[in-house]
């Protein structure tokens, strides 16, 4: 259990710059501010932030499609990595719907070994593999289902 003050809550406008900074620090091809805002204008998109002692430590954005939840992006600030924050965000999504039959899907590239390990550790399995057309890299669709 964490001794620090933390909260998982919905993203607010005041969080946007911190979340975008984490996005840039986490991905080689991060979303732009415009792309991020475009996602947020969709009524079926939810963005949760993990706040620790007043700082945004990580975030999870997902798209609701019936009983399927597609992870758009999940990232943790480098200063907070390997502390279980991404797992807590994912658990928040899973536990928020524990009485419903849901599936959570995410797409990762096969070159992103840390992401594949993280999702496998959290109960996701491979459901689809397809070529991206960029050399030998493939896109993998991983899925967690509670039914």
């Amino acid at each position: 259990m964490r001794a620090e003050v933390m909260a998982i809550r919905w993203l607010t406008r005041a969080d946007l710059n911190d979340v975008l900074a984490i996005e840039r620090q986490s991905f080689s091809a991060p979303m732009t501010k415009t792309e991020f805002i475009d996602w947020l204008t969709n009524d079926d998109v939810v963005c949760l932030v993990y706040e620790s002692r007043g700082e945004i430590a990580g975030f999870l954005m997902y798209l609701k499609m019936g009983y399927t939840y597609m992870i758009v992006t999940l990232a943790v600030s480098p200063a907070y990595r390997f502390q279980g924050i991404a797992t807590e965000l994912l658990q928040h999504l899973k536990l928020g719907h524990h009485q419903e039959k849901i599936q959570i899907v995410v797409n990762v590239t096969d070159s992103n070994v840390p992401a594949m390990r993280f999702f496998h550790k959290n109960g996701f399995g491979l459901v689809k593999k397809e070529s991206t057309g960029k050399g030998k890299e493939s896109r993998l669709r991983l899925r967690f289902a509670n039914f």
Side-chain angles (χ1 to χ4, degrees), residues 106-117 126 128-142:
V106 63
N107 294 318
V108 298
T109 58
D110 60 358
S111 62
N112 191 346
V113 175
M116 290 188 306
R117 285 185 182 143
L126 178 66
K128 185 177 182 183
K129 181 177 181 176
E130 61 188 14
S131 172
T132 62
K134 299 176 184 176
K136 296 180 181 178
E137 189 172 77
S138 295
R139 181 176 26 252
L140 308 175
R141 171 150 298 181
L142 307 175

Side-chain angles (χ1 to χ4, degrees), residues 66-136:
Y67 71 93
T68 299
Y69 295 77
M70 184 186 85
I71 295 175
V72 176
T73 185
L74 170 62
V76 175
S77 169
Y80 289 94
R81 290 190 184 149
F82 305 105
Q83 297 178 33
I85 291 170
T87 298
E88 286 188 44
L89 284 162
L90 192 54
Q91 283 298 103
H92 189 83
L93 173 58
K94 288 177 181 178
L95 294 176
H97 304 282
H98 70 279
Q99 293 181 339
E100 303 170 32
K101 290 183 178 180
I102 66 161
Q103 65 176 349
I104 303 169
V105 296
V106 63
N107 294 318
V108 298
T109 58
D110 60 358
S111 62
N112 191 346
V113 175
M116 290 188 306
R117 285 185 182 143
F118 168 78
F119 287 109
H120 179 73
K121 180 181 86 174
N122 282 281
F124 285 69
L126 178 66
V127 292
K128 185 177 182 183
K129 181 177 181 176
E130 61 188 14
S131 172
T132 62
K134 299 176 184 176
K136 296 180 181 178

